[in-house]
Amino acid sequence: MRKKFLLISTILVISASAALVACGKKSPSSPESSVSSDKTTQEETSKGQTVATTETKTEGTTEAVKKDDIATKQDEKAKPKEASGTFEGWADSSSVEIKMSDGEYQTFFVEKEEVKKALNEKGEGASISFTYGALEGQVNKQILSVK
């Protein structure tokens, strides 16, 4: 009886482990699986300063994110900035893509329910004016209000 219990318990543990491992894998077609590597390097600027950068290879492209681009607590407390652009749509449940007035596309976080509601009411393709600010630990900014 004890041997059967141990055998069944072992099979259950192995099955549960296999299921958890399988849940953690991303399919090759999922956007999350496209990140292949991150590499942090030191670069020297024209002024002789050394700046740390992180390169993220995604689907054959390389983006360099400088540590100076990541917002600090002081950046978060700074006065919000005003901007305008075209609301291109939701990137996911908490971020949007905006085509800025200069033609550049930027992704912004949206946390406030009233901002989410205002963007949904405006609809994709609408011209919007908005205020945004830094969010500590993030490169992307956060939309604080929509006009």
Side-chain angles (χ1 to χ4, degrees), residues 44-108:
E44 192 168 321
T45 65
S46 60
K47 296 178 183 177
Q49 298 171 329
T50 302
V51 178
T53 61
T54 302
E55 285 186 4
T56 303
K57 271 195 160 186
T58 307
E59 296 178 8
T61 63
T62 302
E63 290 181 36
V65 176
K66 295 180 182 176
K67 291 197 182 220
D68 293 342
D69 293 341
I70 298 173
T72 63
K73 191 71 160 174
Q74 185 178 4
D75 295 331
E76 189 173 335
K77 291 180 180 179
K79 182 180 177 184
K81 297 178 183 177
E82 293 187 15
S84 61
T86 304
F87 173 52
E88 294 294 322
W90 291 91
D92 58 32
S93 63
S94 62
S95 57
V96 294
E97 185 174 66
I98 308 256
K99 182 177 180 182
M100 303 299 285
S101 55
D102 65 0
E104 181 182 340
Y105 287 88
Q106 288 190 16
T107 303
F108 291 89

Side-chain angles (χ1 to χ4, degrees), residues 109-120:
F109 289 113
V110 180
E111 291 183 348
K112 296 180 179 179
E113 287 301 318
E114 61 267 14
V115 174
K116 289 180 180 183
K117 184 177 177 182
L119 289 169
N120 285 330

Side-chain angles (χ1 to χ4, degrees), residues 14-32:
I14 291 172
S15 299
S17 298
L20 290 174
V21 170
C23 290
K25 291 186 179 178
K26 309 242 183 308
S27 71
S29 63
S30 72
E32 295 88 6

Side-chain angles (χ1 to χ4, degrees), residues 78 123 129:
S129 294

Side-chain angles (χ1 to χ4, degrees), residues 120-146:
N120 285 330
E121 288 174 359
K122 296 266 186 188
E124 292 181 16
S127 293
I128 60 170
S129 294
F130 59 98
T131 60
Y132 67 94
L135 192 59
E136 182 184 10
Q138 300 294 325
V139 174
N140 292 342
K141 308 298 184 209
Q142 174 180 336
I143 295 180
L144 303 170
S145 66
V146 176

